Amino acid sequence: MMAVLMDQVLIALGMGVLGAVIFAGIGLISGSDETTTLAPLTLLVVLLGVPAPGVLTFFLAGAVAKHMTHAVPTALLGIPGDTMATPLMREANFLRNLGVPHIALRKMISGAVIAALIAVPMAVLFAVLLAPFGDVIKHAAPWVFLAAAIAIAYFSAGRWAAVLTLIPFVMVIVGLQSFTGQYGVKLSVSYFLGIAIGPLIAALFSMLAPAERAKMRRDQVRTFSLSSDVKSWGGFFPNPLKVLDRQQSTWTAITAVISSATFVFSPVAMTVIMGEIVGARIKHVYHRLTTVITARNGVTESTYIAEALIPLIAFGLPLSPVAAGPAAPLFNAPPRFSVDSATGQVHNLHSLLSTWEFLGYGMLAVVVAILIAYPFTMNYAHRAASYVSRKISHEAVIATFVGLILVIGIWEGGALGLLVIITVGLLGGFLSRFLGFNIGVQFMGFYTAVLTVPAMIALLSV
C-alpha cells in the first residue's frame, strides 16, 4: 500500500514539474490564451493514460506557473501575457510610465504566490460545504447546465446577445452530432477542441479575406521598450511577504478568499471587480496602483484554482467558466473521463480522487509551481522577456498547437473530426469576436446540447 502511494506521489510530482516548466515558458509569450494552451495539453495528458493525481497536478501546476510568468510581458513589455492579464494592463502601463515596471512585476507574482497557497484549501473547504447537494445536482444535471449556461452568458461581455445566441449555437452542435452519427462517428473531444481554438481559426480565416487582411497589415515591425533590470534582494528565492507590504498581503489574501467562493462567475470579471474594490479603499496613487495590480494577479490564480477544484470535488460536473473551458478535460475526455448525458452520473477525477487527495495533490502542484516559476521570474524576467521578444516566433507556437489539435481530431473522428473542429471553431470564433459570446459560454452551450436537449426531447415525448 505504501509503495503504491509513493508511486502515485512521484508521478504527481513529476507531472507537476512538467506542467510548471512547460507553462512557465508559455506564459512568457504574449497573447498565449489559457484555453488554447492549457486545455489541449491537459487533454493529451488524460488521453495518454496518466494516473489521476498526475493529471490534476499537471493542470494546476501549469495554471499557477502560467499566471506568474504572464506578468513578464504584461509588466515589462506592456502587452497582455494572456486573457487573464488583460485586466492588469491599466495599472501595469501606469507603473511602466512611472519607470517602475520591475516593481509591478515583483508585486504581481508575489501576490500570485500568496493567493495560490490560500486558494487550494479554501476551494476544498467550499467544495466540502457544497458536496451534500452533489447528488441532487447530478440528477438535475440537464437543467442545472441550462441555468448555468444562461447565467454565464448573461454575465459575459455579450449579455443578452450571448444569452440569445445560445439557441442557434446549441442547435448547430445538435445538428453536427446528428450528421456525424449517421456515419457511425460519435465525437466529443473534437467539439471541445473546436471551441478552444475558435479565436485562432477565426483569425486565420480573416487573413484570407482581403478586407480583414488589410486591417491586419502593419507598415513597420512592432517594437518594445524594455526597462533596465534592478534587483533589490539577496539570494535566489525572495520572501513574497517581504516583497509586499502588510496591507498588500492582507488585501491579496482577502480577495483570494472571496474569489475562491464565487466560483460561478467569469474569472476576468472577478479580477476586475476585486481590483476595483481594493482600489476604492486606498488613497495614495502609487500605493493604490501597486496594491491593485498585486491583488488582481492574485485573483487570476485563485479563480482558476477554485473554479476548477470546487465543481470537480463537489459535483464532478463542469459548472463554472474555468471548469467548462480550460479545465474541461478534467471532467469530460472520452473514452477515459465522461459525464453521462442520461443520468448525470460522472466518471472523472471526482470519482477517482478523495477530498484529502485533492487537497494534498493540489497543494503539491501549487508548491511545485511556486518553486519553479517564482524564483525564475524574480531573477531572470528581464533576460527571459528580451529573449522571447527577440527570438521566439509567435507563429511557430501557434503552429505547434494547431498540429497537436489536428492529430487529436484525426485520432477521434478522422476527416469528420477535422471538419467539426473547423466548423465549430469558425462559428465560435466569430461569435466571440463580434457578439462577446466567449469560450466559457460556448462550452456551456456544448454541455447544454449533449445533456439538456435530450432531456427536453424526452420530457416532451412523454
Side-chain angles (χ1 to χ4, degrees):
M1 184 68 178
M2 186 58 69
V4 174
L5 178 61
M6 284 304 299
D7 287 343
Q8 296 284 335
V9 171
L10 289 175
I11 291 171
L13 177 61
M15 294 305 298
V17 170
L18 181 63
V21 170
I22 291 174
F23 286 101
I26 292 175
L28 295 171
I29 303 170
S30 61
S32 51
D33 181 74
E34 294 92 340
T35 306
T36 308
T37 54
L38 263 173
L41 287 182
T42 304
L43 177 62
L44 182 62
V45 167
V46 173
L47 296 179
L48 287 174
V50 173
V55 174
L56 179 66
T57 55
F58 178 85
F59 174 83
L60 286 181
V64 172
K66 191 177 191 307
H67 288 146
M68 287 189 195
T69 58
H70 79 178
V72 175
T74 304
L76 299 187
L77 299 177
I79 47 178
D82 51 32
T83 306
M84 288 300 298
T86 304
L88 311 174
M89 287 306 302
R90 180 175 179 271
E91 286 72 25
N93 286 331
F94 279 137
L95 290 167
R96 284 181 74 247
N97 292 335
L98 291 174
V100 289
H102 55 287
I103 300 296
L105 173 67
R106 290 163 193 167
K107 297 286 187 182
M108 289 166 71
I109 58 177
S110 297
V113 169
I114 294 172
L117 291 171
I118 291 173
V120 171
M122 292 307 302
V124 173
L125 173 61
F126 290 129
V128 169
L129 295 176
L130 291 170
F133 307 100
D135 290 338
V136 175
I137 291 175
K138 287 178 189 177
H139 288 301
W143 316 112
V144 171
F145 271 103
L146 178 60
I150 294 172
I152 292 172
Y154 179 75
F155 286 106
S156 71
R159 289 285 179 151
W160 285 111
V163 173
L164 294 175
T165 304
L166 271 171
I167 298 172
F169 185 80
V170 169
M171 295 306 297
V172 169
I173 300 294
V174 172
L176 287 172
Q177 286 181 317
S178 176
F179 173 73
T180 59
Q182 293 177 7
Y183 297 93
V185 177
K186 185 177 181 181
L187 301 174
S188 177
V189 175
S190 295
Y191 292 100
F192 164 74
L193 291 175
I195 293 171
I197 66 166
L200 173 59
I201 294 177
L204 292 175
F205 270 79
S206 295
M207 285 173 40
L208 300 176
E212 290 296 317
R213 186 168 62 249
K215 293 178 183 178
M216 296 179 181
R217 192 180 300 278
R218 298 294 179 266
D219 296 328
Q220 57 188 9
V221 176
R222 191 173 185 181
T223 58
F224 304 103
S225 299
L226 188 59
S227 63
S228 58
D229 194 16
V230 180
K231 184 174 180 179
S232 58
W233 68 88
F236 182 71
F237 199 106
N239 184 349
L241 293 176
K242 291 184 178 180
V243 176
L244 305 177
D245 62 38
R246 181 174 297 181
Q247 189 176 23
Q248 289 168 344
S249 300
T250 301
W251 276 117
T252 300
I254 291 172
T255 53
V257 172
I258 295 173
S259 56
S260 295
T262 53
F263 69 96
V264 296
F265 296 108
S266 162
V268 173
M270 288 305 301
T271 302
V272 173
I273 291 168
M274 291 295 102
E276 293 299 321
I277 291 173
V278 172
R281 285 157 176 77
I282 301 174
K283 293 183 178 180
H284 189 277
V285 176
Y286 176 77
H287 194 234
R288 180 168 66 244
L289 290 173
T290 54
T291 305
V292 168
I293 203 168
T294 300
R296 279 184 170 166
N297 201 49
V299 172
T300 69
E301 294 283 22
S302 57
T303 50
Y304 255 68
I305 292 171
E307 291 197 16
L309 287 183
I310 293 176
L312 198 57
I313 299 171
F315 317 120
L317 301 172
L319 296 176
S320 76
V322 172
L330 305 180
F331 296 84
N332 192 38
R336 191 175 175 197
F337 296 160
S338 62
V339 177
D340 191 284
S341 59
T343 64
Q345 294 302 306
V346 301
H347 177 72
N348 49 37
L349 294 186
H350 172 78
S351 49
L352 296 174
L353 296 175
S354 68
T355 302
W356 286 109
E357 286 176 316
F358 274 110
L359 177 61
Y361 290 125
M363 290 303 297
L364 175 64
V366 167
V367 170
V368 166
I370 290 171
L371 291 176
I372 291 174
Y374 185 61
F376 166 76
T377 309
M378 292 290 282
N379 290 284
Y380 303 110
H382 187 276
R383 274 176 277 180
S386 177
Y387 180 82
V388 168
S389 61
R390 295 172 187 270
K391 303 293 186 181
I392 300 297
S393 167
H394 195 80
E395 291 79 6
V397 175
I398 291 173
T400 300
F401 280 96
V402 168
L404 172 63
I405 287 163
L406 289 176
V407 169
I408 296 176
I410 292 172
W411 165 80
E412 187 188 36
L416 283 176
L418 288 180
L419 289 173
V420 165
I421 290 174
I422 294 171
T423 302
V424 174
L426 185 62
L427 174 64
F430 282 121
L431 288 176
S432 177
R433 177 183 293 190
F434 296 114
L435 294 180
F437 190 72
N438 63 40
I439 289 174
V441 183
Q442 291 173 36
F443 275 113
M444 294 309 296
F446 168 72
Y447 287 111
T448 301
V450 299
L451 292 174
T452 309
V453 171
M456 284 183 172
I457 293 173
L459 187 65
L460 294 173
S461 62
V462 174

